[in-house]
Amino acid sequence: MVFPEYRPRRLRRNETFRALIRETSLSPSQLIYPLFVMPGKNKREEISSMPGVFRLSVDQLKKEAEECLQLGVHSVILFGLPEKKDAVGSGAHAKDGIIQRAIKELKNKAPEMMVTTDVCLCEYTDHGHCGCLIGDTVDNDATLEILAKTALSHAQAGADMVAPSDMMDGRVAEIRAALDENNFEMIPIMSYAVKYASAFYGPFRDAANCAPQFGDRRSYQMDPANSREALREATLDVEEGADILMVKPAVAYLDIISRLKDEFDLPIAAYHVSGEYAMIKAAAEKGWIDGEKVMAETLLSIKRAGADIILTYFAKDMARYLRAVTK
Ligand code: PBG
């Protein structure tokens, strides 16, 4: 059937029809809100390149978590700014490290909040790379042990899920084994399975003070030109025991999200990263776009491409927006 018998506009005539046939929807329960935790007391520092996002001291987490829960956002992912950095990222697995304290605080003061941790060394190494070094290269196999120790320390502090973002080969298996040996077989791994060497991480590196001090991350993060390699990376993580596969960044990689969704039956997550957030905020501040509408359209597109879960600095804003439009 073609025009004039068939008219697609019939089903767009009013909001009731449009809502009836809408294929994709978003709910705050599918969003994960990233939190940056810093040392000190009573600290709430806005990140200049990420308006509306703050570095918080541990004592501020309860309030933040309660606000999220009240909005229907039940899941956060933690990033830490340690007191001290060293060559091997010891702060990442310190018993009283910043993340370990943050997890305990959240699990004590806001127990309904689901706490995921980012497992990586770049925030804890003085050179800013995601693993320990031999000369100028990141030592894959030596890093695995430190990552497993880090993930285990997060689980011991009470984390509900761990999310390795380092891009070392073999880390999912190593982390799975360490968790299982210590009776944490019920703690899932959300792996940053397909993480590209992206310029969109710029504002995050300011926020977490973790830019590499020399070179870049292209010897471990993926080449933006590659998509078949993404399937291989994801396959490895599935075989090693990942429970959720993540693609990062999101908007420039919607094709990758879509391919992973078709090829794998695990839940797919997408990280709408700092630079993607900053661009929308900046254009909106200038009055060049409607920031709220662009946010909603962007997150919807990520979902439509195939993401089941979205990690986003817009989580609270999106929850508020959804509440307003469904009223
Ligand atoms: C740690 C990590 C990074 C991000 C998440 N985990 C930085 C990086 O890889 O350079 C970026 C998140 C964002 O940009 O919002 N490796």
Side-chain angles (χ1 to χ4, degrees):
M1 206 172 39
V2 290
F3 179 81
E5 288 78 27
Y6 182 65
R7 292 173 183 268
R9 285 186 56 188
R10 278 182 201 131
L11 296 179
R12 294 178 201 148
R13 208 148 48 92
N14 59 40
E15 181 52 22
T16 312
F17 274 122
R18 291 192 291 270
L20 187 69
I21 63 158
R22 190 158 289 141
E23 298 173 30
T24 311
S25 64
L26 258 176
S27 145
S29 62
Q30 298 158 329
L31 306 177
I32 301 181
Y33 187 51
L35 293 178
F36 295 97
V37 193
M38 66 179 294
K41 278 218 162 64
N42 226 351
K43 291 259 165 64
R44 194 178 159 79
E45 285 180 9
E46 190 163 32
I47 298 154
S48 57
S49 50
M50 300 173 74
V53 180
F54 295 79
R55 297 185 197 92
L56 304 172
S57 52
V58 171
D59 56 286
Q60 299 294 303
L61 293 172
K62 173 176 186 276
K63 202 167 132 229
E64 189 73 22
E66 282 169 354
E67 189 190 355
C68 288
L69 288 168
Q70 201 259 329
L71 287 164
V73 176
H74 297 271
S75 188
V76 291
I77 181 164
L78 303 183
F79 297 96
L81 289 95
E83 271 100 1
K84 282 199 306 270
K85 303 191 185 216
D86 62 23
V88 291
S90 315
H93 53 79
K95 221 171 165 204
D96 61 345
I98 187 82
I99 288 297
Q100 290 74 6
R101 279 182 278 139
I103 299 165
K104 284 186 195 142
E105 173 76 5
L106 281 166
K107 293 318 287 184
N108 282 331
K109 306 274 174 66
E112 321 85 274
M113 181 54 83
M114 172 171 158
V115 179
T116 296
T117 56
D118 182 85
V119 176
C120 192
L121 303 186
C122 63
E123 295 130 68
Y124 306 91
T125 52
D126 48 17
H127 44 75
H129 279 287
C130 299
C132 56
L133 305 176
I134 327 183
D136 278 358
T137 41
V138 175
D139 183 345
N140 191 88
D141 298 12
T143 300
L144 294 182
E145 198 185 315
I146 313 174
L147 291 168
K149 243 171 133 171
T150 301
L152 179 59
S153 79
H154 293 170
Q156 283 164 339
D160 298 297
M161 177 157 76
V162 293
S165 72
D166 50 282
M167 288 301 276
M168 295 303 117
D169 296 332
R171 90 269 210 216
V172 173
E174 192 90 5
I175 290 171
R176 187 68 271 159
L179 292 174
D180 290 356
E181 275 160 28
N182 290 278
N183 303 322
F184 290 111
E185 61 282 333
M186 289 306 287
I187 301 296
I189 299 176
M190 174 166 69
S191 84
Y192 288 68
V194 183
K195 177 171 173 179
Y196 287 93
S198 169
F200 287 102
Y201 308 148
F204 175 94
R205 292 179 189 172
D206 296 339
N209 184 24
C210 70
Q213 297 303 301
F214 66 89
D216 53 42
R217 303 209 203 290
R218 286 183 296 170
S219 76
Y220 40 104
Q221 299 181 346
M222 274 183 55
D223 185 335
N226 295 356
S227 95
R228 283 188 304 152
E229 190 186 351
L231 301 184
R232 209 175 322 132
E233 276 285 2
T235 302
L236 286 170
D237 284 8
V238 172
E239 285 170 2
E240 291 180 28
D243 298 279
I244 298 174
L245 299 172
M246 194 202 298
V247 175
K248 175 183 171 196
V251 177
Y253 299 90
L254 293 179
D255 57 325
I256 308 298
I257 296 172
S258 171
R259 278 191 91 172
L260 255 65
K261 181 68 161 213
D262 288 344
E263 298 282 337
F264 298 93
D265 51 14
L266 291 183
I268 305 294
Y271 200 141
H272 185 247
V273 301
S274 56
E276 302 181 86
Y277 173 85
M279 290 194 306
I280 295 177
K281 282 285 180 185
E285 265 178 26
K286 283 200 171 258
W288 291 348
I289 58 171
D290 179 330
E292 264 203 332
K293 288 200 174 131
V294 171
M295 161 191 77
E297 185 176 333
T298 301
L299 297 180
L300 188 73
S301 306
I302 298 169
K303 183 88 191 292
R304 191 195 61 234
D308 302 290
I309 302 163
I310 305 175
L311 296 92
T312 173
Y313 303 97
F314 278 125
K316 289 193 296 180
D317 292 345
M318 188 63 199
R320 278 190 207 101
Y321 176 88
L322 286 168
R323 196 167 278 191
V325 294
T326 52
K327 238 187 205 146

